[in-house]
Every structure is written in structure tokens, then in C-alpha cells.
């Protein structure tokens, strides 16, 4: 379920959002859109890793409890691929 809030401006930070819950995702999107980020959305950790391997992002916002691979496993994999990539973890 990829989602883009709006076309990126030349200076908009590109943020990958990993959130399986539709209600929580809606809240995250509304909060991040206020800051003019360019958002891409995936619903699980495996899709996040596929997207990271095929595109550039300035940061990742991820739910800690994910299906297929855990939030912790996603963080470890992201750090191996891109050690300087900021990752913000949210948990409900």
C-alpha cells in the first residue's frame, strides 16, 4: 500500500513510514505532512527493506511491532545497510 503525500519539493526530506495499522498510519501521515516531508508508506518490515534497497530516504519512521520481521530486526537490517540513516521507532 505505497502512499505519497504529495510530489517532493527539491528540499523535502524523504521519509519511509512503516506502519501496519491504518488508524496509527493516518495519525503519522497527518503529523508528518505538517512538516512538508515526502512520505512513502509500507505496511511491513520486508517491504521496508525492499524499498530501502531501491530508493533513497533521509529517515525511517517505524512501528516496533511488525509482522513478518520484528521492528528490532528491521532496525538491525537498516543499520547494516545504511548506518547513518535516522530511524524513529513508535510503539502503541
Amino acid at each position: 500500500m505505497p502512499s505519497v503525500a504529495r510530489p517532493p519539493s527539491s528540499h523535502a526530506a524523504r521519509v519511509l513510514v512503516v506502519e501496519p495499522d491504518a488508524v496509527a498510519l493516518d495519525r503519522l501521515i497527518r503529523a508528518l505532512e505538517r512538516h512538508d516531508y515526502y512520505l512513502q508508506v509500507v505496511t511491513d518490515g520486508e517491504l521496508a527493506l525492499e524499498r530501502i534497497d531501491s530508493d533513497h530516504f533521509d529517515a525511517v519512521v517505524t512501528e516496533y511491532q511488525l509482522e513478518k520481521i520484528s521492528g528490532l530486526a528491521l532496525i538491525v537490517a537498516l543499520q547494516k545497510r545504511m548506518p547513518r540513516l535516522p530511524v524513529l521507532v513508535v510503539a502503541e
Side-chain angles (χ1 to χ4, degrees), residues 59-80:
V60 173
V61 177
T62 183
E63 167 63 47
Y64 187 76
Q65 295 182 2
L66 298 173
E67 294 182 17
K68 297 186 181 178
I69 66 170
S70 71
L72 181 57
L74 174 61
I75 294 165
V76 170
L78 289 171
Q79 288 179 337
K80 287 180 181 176

Side-chain angles (χ1 to χ4, degrees), residues 5-18:
R6 64 182 145 276
S9 66
S10 61
H11 63 286
R14 298 174 59 90
V15 178
L16 179 62
V17 178
V18 188

Side-chain angles (χ1 to χ4, degrees), residues 12-87:
R14 298 174 59 90
V15 178
L16 179 62
V17 178
V18 188
E19 176 57 69
D21 180 74
V23 174
L25 177 60
D26 183 59
R27 284 192 302 243
L28 277 172
I29 288 174
R30 282 188 282 129
L32 294 169
E33 281 181 333
R34 285 184 252 158
H35 299 283
D36 197 34
Y37 295 123
Y38 174 71
L39 305 176
Q40 290 284 312
V41 175
V42 295
T43 57
D44 67 59
E46 287 181 354
L47 292 173
L49 293 175
E50 289 175 16
R51 189 62 59 87
I52 284 290
D53 289 340
S54 66
D55 206 347
H56 165 79
F57 292 97
D58 299 301
V60 173
V61 177
T62 183
E63 167 63 47
Y64 187 76
Q65 295 182 2
L66 298 173
E67 294 182 17
K68 297 186 181 178
I69 66 170
S70 71
L72 181 57
L74 174 61
I75 294 165
V76 170
L78 289 171
Q79 288 179 337
K80 287 180 181 176
R81 285 171 164 81
M82 301 181 68
R84 302 190 77 179
L85 180 69
V87 178

